[in-house]
Amino acid sequence: MKDIFFLLFIALGASATAAPTQINCLSWRLAVETNNIPDWKTVPPQCKSYVSEYMTGQQYRDDCNAVVDAAIEYAKTLNVSKDGKDLWVFNIDETTLSNVPYYARPTVGFGATKPNVLKFESWIKEGKSPAVPGALRLYQTLLGLGIKPIFITDTKEEFKQVRMDNLKKVGYHSWFKFICKGKNDSSIYSEHSGNWKTQKRAELVKAGYRLVGNLGGWGDIIVDFLMRTYKMPNPMYFF
Amino acid sequence: MKDIFFLLFIALGASATAAPTQINCLSWRLAVETNNIPDWKTVPPQCKSYVSEYMTGQQYRDDCNAVVDAAIEYAKTLNVSKDGKDLWVFNIDETTLSNVPYYARPTVGFGATKPNVLKFESWIKEGKSPAVPGALRLYQTLLGLGIKPIFITDTKEEFKQVRMDNLKKVGYHSWFKFICKGKNDSSIYSEHSGNWKTQKRAELVKAGYRLVGNLGGWGDIIVDFLMRTYKMPNPMYFF
């Protein structure tokens, strides 16, 4: 009898503590990937292990490759002109270079803890990012087709050189432009002008270039009126 | 030794026949849901069983509910005015009414066979569609908040009454407008004007209404410059 009371006490105690809400982490990931849940800050604590397993497992690699396959199929249908003005926009973080080794650190927890800019920047300075699965395959295909790759990245000007060296080290040997985020450039999305990346793309179009494709995250493809877009999977952070 | 040759023969035979390409169906679904693979015609034959299991299982229900949860959370943040001009746009097929019983038929194979308009229309005439998981919950929340639901649907004018009866039967009792697809309305997407649904939404805005949200499939939310959008999961067909 005492045992029953003890068990009841344990059971009530467990339900009384702030138990995290049940959540289907695959549904959460889909909602994030389709932008049904936009502008989110951190991975729900209940989904930390799920995101960890996903990002380090085969499914993430296959998902990246499926996006790249679709982009390559599309690129091959394009009539590339000979004036050298056909450009393809690449983002860097989780698009061409992977920060998974950083996100795997216990203090970072695959996006489940609040971002720490200084720690992230010291990781960037190490220049040790591997390539994102599949991305090099698209990059090489585009070069073969005569479409020039350009990078538009949230990387700060002060990390430009280390980032370019990192890109070269993993196989992205050349590009037409490398556009970093300036001090006054804002990532905040405005209904009329998009964000700073939207503006940079618009400037290129105004200068006579054709942006034929864009591989990135939500921060790259939201309100992109100019071209077909592709989004790389990334359930670790929003932009 | 003979056995080894036999096994070798089998192995070579298997690789020589037109074996379907290996495909990760979860990656395919993600690429479809994020519009990385746009304007596709039928479910890849290799993914027919996967889509069948997904659409009839718990994951699809959870995915729908995750979208609805996000939409409800957003709707509750809106400052609804008292002039009755705040509208929420609902699509019908695979958004508010489910055609899964039709797609489950062996001849339809969950989108893996070529669409048959006549057979689909005779299913519509039966008026037996159940509600899509979660959608009624959003509908009811909006009514409670004073946001008026409207339907913009590819349903033809001749099926308007049966569709409205079907909606009422499953719990969508009232709406502000029910807009069907006219004979000259095109679903084909144009870069400058969107599709016929984009145009209908623009007419409503011009008439002074505020479209505060839109729940639909890709055909509803592509190039929607006017409002926040939500997409219901549907790996069975593109529009």
Side-chain angles (χ1 to χ4, degrees), chain B residues 72-118:
Chain B
I72 287 177
E73 198 178 316
Y74 160 71
K76 285 182 175 167
T77 66
L78 295 170
N79 284 318
V80 181
S81 71
K82 292 195 173 140
D83 62 6
K85 295 205 158 182
D86 291 308
L87 310 183
W88 188 288
V89 184
F90 282 97
N91 174 44
I92 294 189
D93 296 296
E94 266 49 73
T95 299
T96 43
L97 291 182
S98 169
N99 299 306
V100 168
Y102 171 78
Y103 276 84
R105 292 181 185 171
T107 50
V108 186
F110 287 94
T113 58
K114 218 180 130 199
N116 183 316
V117 176
L118 286 181

Side-chain angles (χ1 to χ4, degrees), chain B residues 12 16 56 155 230:
Chain B
L12 288 172
T56 56
T155 304
Y230 294 94

Side-chain angles (χ1 to χ4, degrees), chain A residues 135-197:
Chain A
L136 266 170
R137 206 155 49 80
L138 174 60
Y139 167 85
Q140 282 153 355
T141 305
L142 295 174
L143 287 181
L145 291 168
I147 298 166
K148 294 182 176 167
I150 70 166
F151 290 96
I152 304 183
T153 167
D154 280 317
T155 303
K156 288 182 191 167
E157 202 66 34
E158 60 184 296
F159 304 120
K160 190 173 181 168
Q161 194 55 52
V162 69
R163 232 61 218 290
M164 295 198 302
D165 293 344
N166 197 156
L167 282 169
K168 284 181 183 164
K169 199 167 69 185
V170 301
Y172 306 93
H173 296 295
S174 63
W175 46 81
F176 180 61
K177 276 179 189 293
F178 188 102
I179 302 168
C180 278
K181 188 178 180 185
K183 277 186 182 156
N184 299 318
D185 290 331
S186 171
S187 288
I188 295 166
Y189 157 75
S190 123
E191 209 175 321
H192 300 290
S193 56
N195 59 23
W196 78 275
K197 289 182 172 181

Side-chain angles (χ1 to χ4, degrees), chain B residues 11-234:
Chain B
L12 288 172
S15 68
T17 56
T21 327
Q22 264 227 327
I23 186 169
N24 181 323
C25 294
L26 192 48
S27 296
W28 174 80
R29 179 162 72 87
L30 182 66
V32 157
E33 293 290 359
T34 50
N35 204 26
N36 283 319
I37 298 179
D39 205 12
W40 49 283
K41 305 302 176 204
T42 50
V43 168
Q46 308 95 307
C47 296
K48 183 176 144 180
S49 329
Y50 170 80
V51 172
S52 155
E53 278 165 38
Y54 172 68
M55 292 301 295
T56 56
Q58 192 56 37
Q59 192 60 45
Y60 170 66
R61 276 140 196 83
D62 287 355
D63 288 352
C64 288
N65 276 299
V67 179
V68 164
D69 288 346
I72 287 177
E73 198 178 316
Y74 160 71
K76 285 182 175 167
T77 66
L78 295 170
N79 284 318
V80 181
S81 71
K82 292 195 173 140
D83 62 6
K85 295 205 158 182
D86 291 308
L87 310 183
W88 188 288
V89 184
F90 282 97
N91 174 44
I92 294 189
D93 296 296
E94 266 49 73
T95 299
T96 43
L97 291 182
S98 169
N99 299 306
V100 168
Y102 171 78
Y103 276 84
R105 292 181 185 171
T107 50
V108 186
F110 287 94
T113 58
K114 218 180 130 199
N116 183 316
V117 176
L118 286 181
K119 280 185 185 167
F120 181 70
E121 287 182 351
S122 87
W123 152 258
I124 293 297
K125 271 189 255 178
E126 292 178 36
K128 286 183 183 164
S129 293
V132 167
L136 266 170
R137 206 154 50 82
L138 174 60
Y139 167 86
Q140 282 153 355
T141 305
L142 295 174
L143 286 181
L145 291 168
I147 299 166
K148 294 179 177 170
I150 69 164
F151 290 97
I152 303 184
T153 169
D154 280 317
T155 304
K156 290 182 189 166
E157 201 67 33
E158 60 185 296
F159 304 120
K160 188 172 181 170
Q161 194 56 51
V162 69
R163 231 63 218 290
M164 295 198 301
D165 292 345
N166 197 155
L167 282 169
K168 284 180 185 166
K169 200 166 71 186
V170 301
Y172 306 94
H173 296 294
S174 62
W175 45 81
F176 181 60
K177 276 178 191 291
F178 188 101
I179 302 169
C180 279
K181 189 179 181 185
K183 277 183 183 160
N184 299 318
D185 290 332
S186 172
S187 288
I188 296 167
Y189 157 74
S190 126
E191 208 175 321
H192 300 290
S193 56
N195 59 23
W196 78 275
K197 289 181 171 181
T198 322
Q199 290 159 24
K200 291 291 173 190
R201 291 194 302 265
E203 284 169 21
L204 287 166
V205 171
K206 218 172 161 187
Y209 294 104
R210 287 176 300 273
L211 308 182
V212 297
N214 181 353
L215 185 75
W218 278 116
D220 303 282
I221 66 177
I222 287 177
V223 195
D224 185 334
F225 308 138
L226 302 168
M227 69 195 111
R228 272 284 305 280
T229 58
Y230 294 94
K231 195 198 160 292
M232 273 300 198
N234 177 15

Side-chain angles (χ1 to χ4, degrees), chain A residues 113-144:
Chain A
T113 57
K114 217 180 130 199
N116 183 317
V117 177
L118 286 181
K119 282 186 183 164
F120 181 70
E121 287 182 352
S122 88
W123 151 257
I124 293 298
K125 271 188 255 178
E126 293 178 35
K128 285 184 183 162
S129 293
V132 167
L136 266 170
R137 206 155 49 80
L138 174 60
Y139 167 85
Q140 282 153 355
T141 305
L142 295 174
L143 287 181

